[in-house]
Amino acid sequence: MEIKIARAPFAAVIIKLLQGPVYADDKNIWRELLGWQSAIQEYFGKIGMELIITEQDGFARVMQPETDENDDNPLPRLMKKQSLNYEATLLAVMLREGLEEFDVKSEGTKFYLTQKEIKERIELFYKEQTNKSKLWKDLSKPITSLINIGILKLNREDTVNKDNNQYEIKRIIKAFISNDKLEEIKNKLSNYVNPIQQ
């Protein structure tokens, strides 16, 4: 005899969070998330995960804390760690800085850049044209890397000229790169770039 288990009223929110970050734009899911916040936190806590809601920036995500070395029975990792190469890291830092500037100007809630605008921002980082063309001849790889981890979202595609592609810089970037982390990475990148410019 099959035992029918009642579905949790917040099941849709759980599934969305397991798929990736949830944003306040998704009004129904966001409302349910806030309404069932304690129950959802408890659910994830039972499976060793943590719900993080950043209401100020309008996003929520689940994280799997690092395994304690003294834990005799560590949990398998549900979420794979993704490391970014130099170009993707530099691009993420540029976009994080851009979002900071955008927020200071209070121009709205969503920050968009075209591929051409992204190129222009990157070029300011390099003094010599040769270095720019060498490292940024093809932007598609670092952009794809950031799309894959949810930092960028293609908002408008131009099949004729990729420079006109428009991307939304998702606020989840703040979870990946805090203000302190931003300064730390910028210092490391400047040490990397300066020898190239000699």
Side-chain angles (χ1 to χ4, degrees), residues 7-8 10-22 29 40 43-44 62:
R7 189 170 68 186
F10 47 83
V13 183
I14 297 287
I15 292 167
K16 284 277 191 181
L17 284 163
L18 288 170
Q19 288 173 341
V22 165
I29 290 290
I40 294 168
Y43 173 88
F44 280 117
V62 287

Side-chain angles (χ1 to χ4, degrees), residues 26-91:
D26 194 341
K27 291 185 171 58
N28 291 337
I29 290 290
W30 188 255
R31 187 173 59 248
E32 285 188 40
L33 169 68
L34 297 180
W36 292 99
Q37 185 175 338
S38 296
I40 294 168
Q41 279 176 328
E42 185 181 345
Y43 173 88
F44 280 117
K46 285 177 180 175
I47 59 169
M49 300 187 74
E50 188 180 347
L51 171 66
I52 298 168
I53 301 174
T54 310
E55 284 194 61
Q56 182 185 348
D57 291 310
F59 68 85
R61 64 182 181 136
V62 287
M63 276 186 66
Q64 188 168 7
E66 291 296 323
T67 305
D68 188 341
E69 290 178 9
N70 300 320
D71 191 345
D72 294 332
N73 191 21
L75 293 169
R77 287 210 69 82
L78 175 66
M79 296 164 179
K80 290 181 180 176
K81 286 185 177 180
Q82 290 176 303
S83 57
L84 299 176
N85 64 14
Y86 170 75
E87 286 84 359
T89 302
L90 176 57
L91 179 55

Side-chain angles (χ1 to χ4, degrees), residues 3 9 16 24 38 43 60-61 74 76 85 87 92 118 123 127 133 139 143 153 155 167 182 184 194:
I3 299 171
K16 284 277 191 181
S38 296
Y43 173 88
R61 64 182 181 136
N85 64 14
E87 286 84 359
I118 290 172
E123 286 176 356
K127 292 176 184 173
S133 59
L139 257 180
I143 283 176
K153 180 184 177 186
N155 185 58
Y167 298 91
L182 179 62
E184 182 190 325
N194 287 336

